[in-house]
Amino acid sequence: GRAVGYGLLGVVGGLSVANALQDGSKPPLATAPPYASKADFYAAWRASIAPEASTLPGSVWDGELLFLGALAPAGSIVTHRLFPVKGAERKWLGKRFDQRGDVGTNRFRRSDDDEALGRDFSWSISTSRRDGEEALVLNYAAAPTPDRLFGTVLRMRDELRELEPGVLLGIGSMAATGGMRNG
């Protein structure tokens, strides 16, 4: 019982440290995908800028989960298995920003030509918890109707930057699992 629990805690803790150590240092220029390593991705993210807030209301973004770092398998399970809303297949598709300007939602595959929407967030251009620079911050706990698990309990937060027009790079994190250190 307890030994297994402490063993799992040790494994998760070790993976978290390995994950954080793979981040790399700040580069002079952003590079486009694909990325050979998590450090390459973070280098591009750090060199990118917050998108212009006026371009977001009403926009729809396709997303892709990159398989980088020690926590990539867990991230894939959370993103494609646990995060999708009821009625959706197990596939996250991206983000949709509402016309009213400060809220948005996630998009999930329902069928080949249909989407399910859910896991709402509020958004703002604000300070990154990762590096202190401006980012597009998606706060799931501050959504008008926060999701109980991902918003209230886990306190999910995404931080996105624009690599080039039409390309956002994002880091997702949950305060309950270490926050941006493990993004």
Side-chain angles (χ1 to χ4, degrees):
R2 268 194 190 154
V4 171
Y6 289 128
L8 286 174
L9 185 60
V11 168
V12 170
L15 284 173
S16 294
V17 169
N19 193 55
L21 292 174
Q22 295 172 345
D23 293 354
S25 60
K26 188 166 184 164
L29 299 171
T31 56
Y35 301 105
S37 69
K38 185 178 171 198
D40 290 346
F41 170 82
Y42 275 118
W45 183 85
R46 284 185 194 103
S48 298
I49 61 171
E52 182 62 44
S54 64
T55 65
L56 296 170
S59 66
V60 176
W61 295 79
D62 292 332
E64 178 183 350
L65 180 67
L66 302 179
F67 204 81
L68 300 169
L71 293 179
S76 181
I77 290 168
V78 170
T79 302
H80 295 302
R81 300 282 184 200
L82 304 176
F83 195 56
V85 295
K86 186 176 181 179
E89 292 180 15
R90 297 182 185 266
K91 174 73 172 140
W92 172 77
L93 298 175
K95 312 275 186 203
R96 176 183 304 268
F97 292 84
D98 289 354
Q99 282 291 350
R100 58 183 169 155
D102 63 350
V103 296
T105 193
N106 283 275
R107 303 168 37 239
F108 304 94
R109 182 178 318 285
R110 186 189 316 258
S111 63
D112 286 340
D113 60 348
D114 193 22
E115 293 180 1
L117 301 175
R119 309 284 189 225
D120 297 344
F121 52 82
S122 69
W123 67 267
S124 64
I125 304 297
S126 52
T127 303
S128 166
R129 290 186 182 160
R130 180 109 191 144
D131 68 1
E133 301 294 327
E134 278 195 342
L136 168 58
V137 174
L138 312 183
N139 185 337
Y140 292 80
T145 307
D147 179 88
R148 180 166 288 152
L149 176 61
F150 289 97
T152 307
V153 175
L154 297 174
R155 297 181 316 279
M156 189 167 172
R157 174 186 171 108
D158 296 339
E159 295 187 2
L160 296 89
R161 296 214 173 118
E162 191 168 35
L163 175 67
E164 59 189 46
V167 179
L168 295 177
L169 299 178
I171 302 170
S173 69
M174 294 181 230
T177 60
M180 273 296 139
R181 286 189 316 265
N182 289 320

